[in-house]
Amino acid sequence: MLLSTTPTIEGHPIREYKGVVTGEVIIGANVLKDFMASLTDFFGGRSTTYEKVLIEAKDKAMNEMMQRAQALGANAVVGIDVDYETIGQASSMLMVATSGTAVVI
């Protein structure tokens, strides 16, 4: 399945629009990850612990969106948007939402 943030895919005309598809993932960061991130925050540098969580959540949301597109008979998703939000008490949860248009090319 082709996935694109652009509204079209060069060289592949859209033959049919199947509709909007989404993928949502809410993932928590555990106490150990919070502790390690606080050390990174104190000493400086990148927090690979949280980066891994972000990547995992984004990948799961994209896969969920792709599965929903396949269920509609699509072979591509265009116009993909990825949103990140923190939610929950003390912003302890990360929500990643993806959306796009399922199409047949």
Side-chain angles (χ1 to χ4, degrees):
M1 172 162 301
L2 291 173
L3 304 173
S4 178
T5 58
T6 61
T8 60
I9 299 173
E10 189 173 339
H12 298 279
I14 294 173
R15 298 188 330 226
E16 186 178 353
Y17 289 88
K18 295 292 191 172
V20 174
V21 286
T22 61
E24 304 83 14
V25 171
I26 298 175
I27 193 166
N30 66 30
V31 175
L32 179 60
K33 289 178 184 174
D34 286 341
F35 175 73
M36 296 304 289
S38 69
L39 290 177
T40 301
D41 188 38
F42 181 76
F43 292 109
R46 293 174 59 170
S47 174
T48 56
T49 304
Y50 278 139
E51 287 175 359
K52 288 177 185 174
V53 172
L54 277 172
I55 291 166
E56 177 188 355
K58 188 255 313 161
D59 289 346
K60 286 182 178 182
M62 291 288 283
N63 283 333
E64 186 175 285
M65 180 183 62
M66 185 174 57
Q67 289 173 358
R68 290 177 178 167
Q70 287 173 333
L72 294 175
N75 62 0
V77 180
V78 296
I80 295 173
D81 181 52
V82 181
D83 291 312
Y84 299 89
E85 295 288 333
T86 55
I87 60 173
Q89 187 175 6
S91 298
S92 61
M93 304 289 282
L94 172 69
M95 178 180 73
V96 178
T98 58
S99 63
T101 304
V103 298
V104 175
I105 55 174

